[in-house]
């Protein structure tokens, strides 16, 4: 779903018509908004400061925002899901219901059991340190205001995003200059497995998890 083809409102309308499942990540500057959709409804939405309907309305108000569509992404906690009709947010119909190569659900997908894990990063140069992913989305970059600032000249201001989902942690490169590498492979987006090595410039983190029940 190339950003240049549709506005955020048009993209959301098409997702509603196709009844696709996934997450529309809308970004502009330091603002980052997650809109999870399924079967024509917004089932979760949040930004840095807003939740639910207010977060969706904020995304639609942003001018010149960019977005990324994450197919089949699920909210990290299904018990907190919403049920907001997408048509309430889109003012005009869209002529073409097809949306790129997104997957269409044949019906209501059964919700998987919520994973009971806390995820954390271990810096390669400090193997005894744990950096817990305490937010649903964590932005890594050279910007001191990033959720996880990375002091390296080869790291972009906003380099990549780690998104905690029901099936694990999703990594998304934010159009960085030098790219995001997982296990020495350049990636645009990918699901991370425990033990994977995330490389940003000369900085390397190892992703891992621990059972919440063990805490």
């Amino acid at each position: 779903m190339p950003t240049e083809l549709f506005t955020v409102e048009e993209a959301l309308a098409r997702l509603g018509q196709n009844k696709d499942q996934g997450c529309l990540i809308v970004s502009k500057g330091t603002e980052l908004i997650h809109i999870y959709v399924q079967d024509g409804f917004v089932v979760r939405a949040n930004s840095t400061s807003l939740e639910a309907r207010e977060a969706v309305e904020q995304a639609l108000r942003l001018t010149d925002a960019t977005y990324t569509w994450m197919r089949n992404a699920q909210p990290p906690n299904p018990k907190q899901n919403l049920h907001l009709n997408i048509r309430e947010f889109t003012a005009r119909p869209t002529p073409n219901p097809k949306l790129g190569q997104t997957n269409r659900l044949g019906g209501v997908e059964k919700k998987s059991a919520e994973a009971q894990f806390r995820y954390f990063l271990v810096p390669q140069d400090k193997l005894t340190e744990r950096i817990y992913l305490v937010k649903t989305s964590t932005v890594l970059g050279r910007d001191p205001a990033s959720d996880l600032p990375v002091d390296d000249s080869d790291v972009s201001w906003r380099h990549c995003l780690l998104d905690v989902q029901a099936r694990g942690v999703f990594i998304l490169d934010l159009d960085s200059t030098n790219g995001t590498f997982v296990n020495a492979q350049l990636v645009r987006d990918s699901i991370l497995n425990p033990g994977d090595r995330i490389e940003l410039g000369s900085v390397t983190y190892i992703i891992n998890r621990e059972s919440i029940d063990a805490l």
Side-chain angles (χ1 to χ4, degrees):
M1 187 171 63
T3 300
E4 63 269 15
L5 295 183
F6 310 120
T7 64
V8 172
E9 181 178 350
E10 289 169 341
L12 188 61
R14 283 168 167 77
L15 290 171
Q17 287 184 343
N18 286 353
K19 297 186 178 181
D20 286 289
Q21 174 179 288
C23 180
L24 192 69
I25 300 180
V26 181
S27 62
K28 182 179 181 182
T30 59
E31 194 62 59
L32 195 67
I33 304 170
H34 287 65
I35 304 175
Y36 290 90
V37 302
Q38 180 176 340
D39 296 323
F41 291 88
V42 174
V43 296
R44 178 80 64 80
N46 62 276
S47 68
T48 305
S49 57
L50 298 174
E51 297 279 343
R53 179 182 298 274
E54 290 76 13
V56 180
E57 292 173 346
Q58 178 188 23
L60 296 177
R61 287 194 301 267
L62 291 178
T63 57
D64 300 323
T66 60
Y67 60 79
T68 300
W69 170 240
M70 294 163 44
R71 298 184 186 93
N72 298 322
Q74 299 178 15
N77 187 350
K79 296 178 182 179
Q80 297 179 3
N81 282 359
L82 308 167
H83 199 67
L84 305 175
N85 196 318
I86 288 177
R87 284 179 293 182
E88 297 179 22
F89 299 98
T90 52
R92 55 186 179 277
T94 53
N96 183 3
K98 294 185 178 181
L99 180 62
Q101 299 298 318
T102 55
N103 298 324
R104 180 165 182 167
L105 295 176
V108 178
E109 182 175 305
K110 293 182 180 179
K111 294 178 181 177
S112 58
E114 183 184 356
Q116 298 296 315
F117 297 106
R118 286 205 313 176
Y119 293 89
F120 58 89
L121 300 177
V122 177
Q124 182 173 262
D125 59 345
K126 298 179 181 178
L127 295 178
T128 59
E129 181 179 340
R130 291 186 176 188
I131 304 172
Y132 285 93
L133 303 180
V134 296
K135 300 173 63 176
T136 300
S137 295
T138 300
V139 174
L140 289 75
R142 207 170 71 254
D143 183 356
S146 298
D147 299 308
L148 178 52
V150 182
D151 186 14
D152 186 286
S153 59
D154 290 330
V155 173
S156 295
W157 203 242
R158 296 176 76 250
H159 197 101
C160 69
L161 167 76
L162 296 180
D163 196 69
V164 179
Q165 303 175 6
R167 57 178 176 160
V169 178
F170 181 92
I171 188 168
L172 173 68
D173 182 79
L174 298 176
D175 297 322
S176 65
T177 300
N178 295 314
T180 299
F181 292 79
V182 175
N183 299 329
Q185 298 294 317
L186 180 66
V187 299
R188 164 64 179 168
D189 55 68
S190 178
I191 284 289
L192 298 173
N193 297 308
D196 281 349
R197 305 169 75 86
I198 303 167
E199 301 164 40
L200 315 176
S202 63
V203 178
T204 299
Y205 296 101
I206 302 168
I207 183 83
N208 217 323
R209 70 185 186 185
E210 63 186 13
S211 172
I212 292 177
D213 295 336
L215 301 180

